[in-house]
Amino acid sequence: MKNKSLVAAGAAVGLLLSSAAWAADKKMIVWVPNGASDFWKLAEAGMRKAQTELPDFDLEWKYPERADAAIQQRLIEDLAAAGADAIAVSPLNPKTQTDAFNKIGSQLPLFTFDSDAADSKRVFYIGSSNTDLGKNAGELAVKAMPKGGKCMGFVGNTGADNARERIEGFKAAAGPHSIELVDVRTDDHDQARARANVDDTLVAHGEIDCMVGFYSYNPPKIYESLRDNGKLGQITVIAFDEDPITLGAVKDGSFAGTVVQQPFEWAYQGSKLFAAYINGDKSVVPANGVDIIPGKVITKDNVDEFKADLKAKLSSQ
């Protein structure tokens, strides 16, 4: 077991040393998301902007091999063993990872983003209020379906706090208006399965007249399925995040709208706050341990303005 641990730690050292910017006299902050997705490109761009303002730090972005809580946990343990000075993680399953996070949090500053692990020894969370995002999505559904409807939800992992809170927020806003979230289908971040879930719903649930994609890659899979099955425009779609396919569908009216987060700001502002904390400024820690960066609701009316801002952020690095 000891030899395996050393090998794993050595692999993580290799990961850190592979950065051209790495220098022994700089402090290292590593961001670990919950899986590979185009959604994270904005966050990486925000981190790169922060890097230009933090010359005494190296900022790194490391994806787990796949969206699996055990694999994610092994990665952050390896990074800690390799000498990272702080780690920010988007937990895949906070309930099962709490003890492991506590172990890491006792060794170095551990932060959370996107999805929280509030019961762990993380320093603080930065990201959206996923409950508020869910409510925003529910309000979109109410406007799009004033007579009510039956919705099917799609998400990567219902065990993650961000998914659970979005679902609860959606139900709270839409439920009183006769909009029922009949079920939520999970895909474990497998995009082929995400598409299959939509196809299966069209076959098995003829009563569904609304679909909600709770993770960034779910709405594009909904779009593909509805397009290929001749159902675009016949089913109301509420989306999350800013995938280009999603924004195109909002623009042409195929989707009612999308609720977007600000991952660029999470990583830009978060990197600077984490650096300040490492340097001894504990005043950056919010009193309640949560730093909320509000989301936005994008509809046909403001999608072009949003796309222009998005392009500017991605091309500025």
Side-chain angles (χ1 to χ4, degrees):
M1 291 297 294
K2 183 177 179 180
N3 288 340
K4 289 183 179 179
S5 298
L6 289 173
V7 169
V13 171
L15 286 174
L16 292 177
L17 292 178
S18 68
S19 169
W22 188 86
D25 59 343
K26 293 186 177 184
K27 297 173 182 175
M28 176 75 73
I29 299 173
V30 187
W31 291 76
V32 179
N34 55 14
S37 169
D38 285 348
F39 170 74
W40 295 117
K41 289 180 180 178
L42 267 174
E44 289 189 67
M47 185 192 73
R48 289 194 299 270
K49 181 180 178 182
Q51 180 69 84
T52 66
E53 302 175 23
L54 297 169
D56 295 331
F57 285 81
D58 276 326
L59 308 179
E60 294 287 338
W61 192 272
K62 299 297 181 187
Y63 288 101
E65 292 175 10
R66 68 174 184 272
D68 178 278
I71 291 174
Q72 182 187 59
Q73 189 60 40
R74 186 165 64 245
L75 174 59
I76 65 173
E77 289 172 355
D78 290 349
L79 291 168
D85 294 282
I87 295 172
V89 61
S90 174
L92 273 155
N93 194 325
K95 290 186 176 69
T96 64
Q97 291 177 281
T98 297
D99 289 344
F101 285 162
N102 286 343
K103 179 181 177 181
I104 296 294
S106 66
Q107 299 172 31
L108 50 75
L110 179 70
F111 304 90
T112 54
F113 66 100
D114 181 46
S115 182
D116 198 8
D119 295 329
S120 71
K121 291 182 179 179
R122 57 92 166 123
V123 180
F124 67 89
Y125 163 82
I126 186 166
S128 303
S129 164
N130 285 289
T131 300
D132 288 347
L133 294 177
K135 289 178 179 177
N136 292 154
E139 291 160 1
L140 266 175
V142 171
K143 290 180 181 178
M145 299 184 294
K147 295 182 180 180
K150 292 184 180 293
C151 302
M152 182 68 77
F154 304 92
V155 75
N157 174 20
T158 53
D161 281 0
N162 59 352
R164 178 181 55 77
E165 290 167 4
R166 290 179 195 183
I167 292 165
E168 290 175 356
F170 181 87
K171 289 179 177 179
H177 299 272
S178 300
I179 296 174
E180 178 187 1
L181 187 63
V182 175
D183 197 3
V184 179
R185 300 298 174 86
T186 60
D187 52 60
D188 294 323
H189 298 260
D190 181 327
Q191 299 203 21
R193 184 174 164 191
R195 165 64 192 264
N197 282 344
V198 185
D199 292 337
D200 292 346
T201 296
L202 292 175
V203 172
H205 294 275
E207 78 280 11
I208 294 298
D209 54 8
C210 159
M211 293 184 173
V212 187
F214 285 102
Y215 276 6
S216 63
Y217 60 85
N218 290 120
K221 296 305 175 186
I222 293 172
Y223 181 89
E224 291 174 8
S225 180
L226 295 182
R227 178 198 63 200
D228 295 348
N229 286 283
K231 297 287 188 179
L232 270 180
Q234 298 178 32
I235 293 178
T236 298
V237 180
I238 310 298
F240 277 80
D241 300 318
E242 62 286 316
D243 187 277
I245 293 175
T246 296
L247 295 179
V250 171
K251 183 176 175 62
D252 69 22
S254 299
F255 287 6
T258 186
V259 179
V260 302
Q261 305 174 84
Q262 298 197 66
F264 181 95
E265 295 299 329
W266 300 349
Y268 172 62
Q269 296 183 33
S271 292
K272 294 197 294 181
L273 292 172
F274 302 163
Y277 181 88
I278 292 169
N279 283 338
D281 183 2
K282 303 304 186 284
S283 69
V284 300
V285 180
N288 63 353
V290 174
D291 187 351
I292 296 299
I293 297 178
K296 298 178 180 179
V297 176
I298 307 301
T299 64
K300 197 170 185 177
D301 294 336
N302 62 351
V303 67
D304 285 336
E305 177 185 353
F306 176 75
K307 286 173 68 176
D309 178 65
L310 195 66
K311 183 178 179 180
K313 282 185 169 74
L314 288 171
S315 63
S316 63
Q317 302 304 309

